[in-house]
Amino acid sequence: MSGAAGPRNEDGSVTYPAGGEEVDGEVPEGGSVHAKSDALYRQAANIHPNPDYGRALGYANRIADALKEATGVVREAGKSCLDSLPEPPKDGSPKDDASWWRVRRSSGSEGR
């Protein structure tokens, strides 16, 4: 059996090495694959001549799912934080604006 799928690349793809049984006298080439949730790609992984293609596709899909989940969690946390901040004064005077900033600074919410 050939080596495992390689590292994740900056573009989100996963690199895999050449491997598998020879086809027409040559070992199937390696490459890289992006996350694909389409059933057609999952089926193609089962018949691809390089067994590392399927593993790389699985890794890429798991990475994409984890990033999607993490992004959702960060968005929820950010929304919760923003929602907890007091609203700035609407059509307030400079004195009202300054007071709002003082309260915000004293509450420790500045810089969040």
Side-chain angles (χ1 to χ4, degrees):
M1 186 179 315
S2 59
R8 182 181 71 85
N9 301 312
E10 287 184 23
D11 66 357
S13 65
V14 175
T15 302
Y16 60 95
E21 295 183 24
E22 289 187 4
V23 177
D24 295 328
E26 294 188 25
V27 174
E29 292 183 3
S32 61
V33 63
H34 285 85
K36 309 268 196 260
S37 60
D38 190 328
L40 180 61
Y41 287 98
R42 290 191 306 270
Q43 289 175 357
N46 293 329
I47 60 170
H48 196 281
N50 186 332
D52 292 321
Y53 171 85
R55 287 193 269 287
L57 179 60
Y59 296 149
N61 286 339
R62 282 185 285 235
I63 290 167
D65 290 344
L67 289 173
K68 184 177 179 182
E69 184 178 335
T71 301
V73 168
V74 169
R75 277 197 185 121
E76 286 295 317
K79 183 178 178 340
S80 174
C81 179
L82 287 174
D83 289 346
S84 72
L85 298 175
E87 289 289 320
K90 293 190 191 303
D91 300 324
S93 68
K95 186 176 181 177
D96 292 337
D97 290 344
S99 175
W100 179 79
W101 278 107
R102 273 194 295 280
V103 169
R104 186 168 183 244
R105 283 188 199 128
S106 67
S107 69
S109 59
E110 182 179 41
R112 284 190 191 171

